[in-house]
């Protein structure tokens, strides 16, 4: 039998279940440093199964935004503007969500495999211009940094006051 790892966030209305599989994790929206943004930024999307009243209620894609300082030393987890994994959650539910993101960044071997796969794919990309080379090197540096995140590196900047 092959048992899957999963994490459950119990909200007032439903259970949001994250099943730890590569297909349920996506990293996208990568932005590099420029004159207007002194940090790297990308989005992590997680596919969550929703259970309401003991019945399957569908799936949803939820996002979390991650910023990394220019020196690649600090990671800041932020609430994105759309489809936030923190949306419509009270303080306890947000704390459970923070625990899930914390696990993902620090301990999840599946997340590390997704990052490793991205690194491998980027190394195969054929780039020509100096701008493409610079952006590729920046992406690789950020992704390689994600493979070695420690607890001290991660800072959450999520509002924990009661929203719902």
């Amino acid at each position: 039998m092959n048992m899957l790892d999963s994490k459950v966030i119990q909200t007032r209305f439903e259970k949001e279940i994250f099943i730890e599989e590569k297909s349920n994790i996506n990293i996208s929206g990568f932005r590099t440093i420029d004159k207007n943004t002194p940090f790297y930024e990308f989005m992590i999307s997680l596919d969550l199964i929703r259970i309401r009243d003991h019945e399957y209620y569908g799936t949803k894609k939820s996002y979390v935004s991650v910023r990394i300082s220019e020196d690649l030393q600090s990671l800041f987890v932020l609430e994105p503007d759309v489809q936030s994994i923190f949306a419509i959650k009270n303080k306890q539910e947000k704390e459970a969500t923070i625990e899930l993101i914390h696990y993902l960044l620090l301990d999840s071997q599946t997340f590390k495999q997704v990052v490793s796969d991205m690194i491998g794919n980027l190394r195969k990309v054929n780039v020509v211009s100096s701008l493409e080379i610079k952006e590729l090197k920046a992406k690789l540096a950020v992704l390689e940094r994600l493979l070695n995140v420690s607890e001290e590196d991660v800072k959450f900047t999520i509002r924990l006051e009661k929203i719902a």
Side-chain angles (χ1 to χ4, degrees):
M1 180 185 324
N2 186 14
M3 299 292 287
L4 297 174
D5 286 330
S6 65
K7 303 290 181 199
V8 178
I9 300 170
Q10 176 66 58
T11 70
R12 288 183 301 161
F13 305 110
E14 64 189 16
K15 291 177 176 72
E16 298 175 348
I17 303 169
F18 169 69
I19 297 177
E20 192 171 354
E21 289 185 334
K22 287 172 39 174
S23 61
N24 291 333
I25 303 169
N26 188 34
I27 299 172
S28 63
F30 190 88
R31 290 190 342 198
T32 58
I33 293 174
D34 61 26
K35 63 182 177 183
N36 297 322
T37 54
F39 48 80
Y40 302 99
E41 187 169 17
F42 57 91
M43 301 285 277
I44 300 173
S45 67
L46 302 176
D47 292 332
L48 304 172
I49 295 172
R50 301 167 67 198
I51 305 292
R52 194 176 278 190
D53 298 325
H54 306 291
E55 298 281 330
Y56 175 74
Y57 195 70
T59 60
K60 73 176 185 177
K61 189 174 288 287
S62 292
Y63 294 87
V64 64
S65 181
V66 177
R67 286 185 182 165
I68 298 183
S69 60
E70 186 174 3
D71 62 2
L72 301 176
Q73 296 306 306
S74 298
L75 280 80
F76 300 91
V77 177
L78 306 161
E79 188 169 357
D81 293 334
V82 293
Q83 291 181 274
S84 171
I85 194 166
F86 300 101
I88 313 174
K89 289 184 171 63
N90 64 30
K91 184 178 179 181
Q92 292 78 22
E93 295 164 357
K94 284 186 178 187
E95 286 172 355
T97 305
I98 287 171
E99 188 178 320
L100 168 63
I101 302 304
H102 200 265
Y103 167 78
L104 196 70
L105 292 172
L106 296 174
D107 300 320
S108 171
Q109 292 306 309
T110 306
F111 179 74
K112 291 187 186 323
Q113 187 60 53
V114 168
V115 172
S116 294
D117 291 350
M118 287 183 71
I119 290 170
N121 290 337
L122 284 174
R123 288 193 173 139
K124 295 175 187 173
V125 170
N126 188 16
V127 292
V128 237
S129 74
S130 59
L131 179 63
E132 288 176 328
I133 292 169
K134 182 181 174 184
E135 286 182 4
L136 181 67
K137 284 183 178 182
K139 274 186 184 180
L140 285 170
V142 169
L143 290 171
E144 287 169 354
R145 176 66 173 103
L146 282 177
L147 294 175
N148 300 304
V149 175
S150 71
E151 192 158 341
E152 296 80 36
D153 300 332
V154 180
K155 295 164 183 61
F156 286 87
T157 57
I158 307 302
R159 294 177 301 159
L160 290 179
E161 68 267 10
K162 188 172 183 174
I163 301 285

